[in-house]
Amino acid sequence: AQSVTQLDSQVPVFEEAPVELRCNYSSSVSVYLFWYVQYPNQGLQLLLKYLSGSTLVESINGFEAEFNKSQTSFHLRKPSVHISDTAEYFCAVYGGATNKLIFGTGTLLAVQP
Amino acid sequence: EAGVTQFPSHSVIEKGQTVTLRCDPISGHDNLYWYRRVMGKEIKFLLHFVKESKQDESGMPNNRFLAERTGGTYSTLKVQPAELEDSGVYFCASSQFLQGTEAFFGQGTRLTVV
């Protein structure tokens, strides 16, 4: 069975500091990996995804994630965060015969001035 | 183009009552999903429609939950009778294709059973 682990439930960070949100997955088959973000009082939005090809994927707002097959990880990083990045971030896996997303428990990124 | 729309945004009901959640997917999206997040836990899959047919309902908690998708358009999720543990945020998502394509999510319905 597939699973996703987000070890950090909450990550406090100061504005303009770098941040890494960790995600590890478990799967016996090839997977597609996603990061979704939920801003306060909004729905889930796709931040970035890995389907195939380059293992480093980037979003339009400066986030990037690297697929590491040997470590079964898909950590999300940003070199300098803004107050507006405060949100909950969800890592998800989609693969095999299941046509559904398997989510982690989410990481709340709290950016402080 | 309108996104995925869910009604209501919030619902507070008493234990034993019935609640119906509605989801309007993006027009043309054959795939419609329901997910639920219980407070502090992961977002869990409930079921998947392809057009009006239930493709996978393995995540439905029990027979108090009934989902329908009329004519392959909007979907409803009824909880009858509601229990305290049904409280959570119910998300609907739709996608045009399957594997690896982006699923667009609604804002969710926050259900509180008291």
Side-chain angles (χ1 to χ4, degrees):
Chain A
Q2 295 167 318
S3 66
V4 176
T5 302
Q6 292 182 252
L7 288 174
D8 305 306
S9 60
Q10 191 166 351
V11 174
V13 63
F14 287 106
E15 195 172 19
E16 298 183 5
V19 71
E20 178 180 84
L21 307 184
R22 295 178 293 169
C23 172
N24 288 86
Y25 68 92
S26 172
S27 178
S28 58
V29 298
S30 297
V31 296
Y32 302 136
L33 293 158
F34 301 82
W35 276 98
Y36 278 84
V37 58
Q38 186 178 23
Y39 297 102
N41 302 314
Q42 295 187 29
L44 288 167
Q45 302 173 31
L46 180 67
L47 186 62
L48 46 77
K49 62 183 177 183
Y50 170 78
L51 303 182
S52 64
S54 173
T55 57
L56 184 66
V57 290
E58 299 177 351
S59 72
I60 58 173
N61 58 353
F63 282 93
E64 64 178 31
E66 186 162 17
F67 169 59
N68 189 318
K69 188 174 181 179
S70 63
Q71 296 186 7
T72 59
S73 68
F74 191 54
H75 300 330
L76 182 69
R77 303 184 185 94
K78 189 170 185 179
S80 175
V81 294
H82 301 286
I83 296 287
S84 59
D85 293 324
T86 294
E88 193 157 19
Y89 292 79
F90 296 90
C91 183
V93 63
Y94 184 115
T98 63
N99 293 315
K100 59 191 177 189
L101 289 167
I102 307 297
F103 285 90
T105 50
T107 298
L108 179 60
L109 176 63
V111 182
Q112 305 163 17
Chain B
E1 179 181 339
V4 177
T5 308
Q6 293 187 245
F7 303 96
S9 57
H10 295 84
S11 179
V12 180
I13 62 171
E14 292 185 350
K15 176 182 173 181
Q17 289 186 322
T18 297
V19 63
T20 300
L21 314 181
R22 173 169 169 147
C23 169
D24 286 78
I26 293 173
S27 177
H29 282 192
D30 288 340
N31 297 282
L32 186 149
Y33 305 82
W34 283 98
Y35 290 84
R36 176 175 74 171
R37 189 186 191 200
V38 173
M39 185 180 294
K41 298 195 174 181
E42 71 270 33
I43 300 169
K44 278 193 171 180
F45 168 84
L46 296 178
L47 87 159
H48 170 211
F49 284 99
V50 177
K51 297 184 180 179
E52 68 274 11
S53 299
K54 291 176 185 175
Q55 183 79 9
D56 180 357
E57 51 184 333
S58 61
M60 295 287 264
N62 50 61
N63 59 11
R64 295 186 293 104
F65 289 74
L66 175 63
E68 296 179 323
R69 189 178 183 191
T70 306
T73 56
Y74 71 91
S75 174
T76 58
L77 179 64
K78 180 190 289 187
V79 185
Q80 180 183 29
E83 298 289 344
L84 297 178
E85 64 264 26
D86 300 333
S87 295
V89 180
Y90 290 77
F91 291 102
C92 175
S94 72
S95 69
Q96 190 170 13
F97 304 112
L98 290 174
Q99 296 282 349
T101 57
E102 178 178 355
F104 294 85
F105 282 78
Q107 290 190 319
T109 294
R110 182 174 295 278
L111 174 65
T112 303
V113 183
V114 297

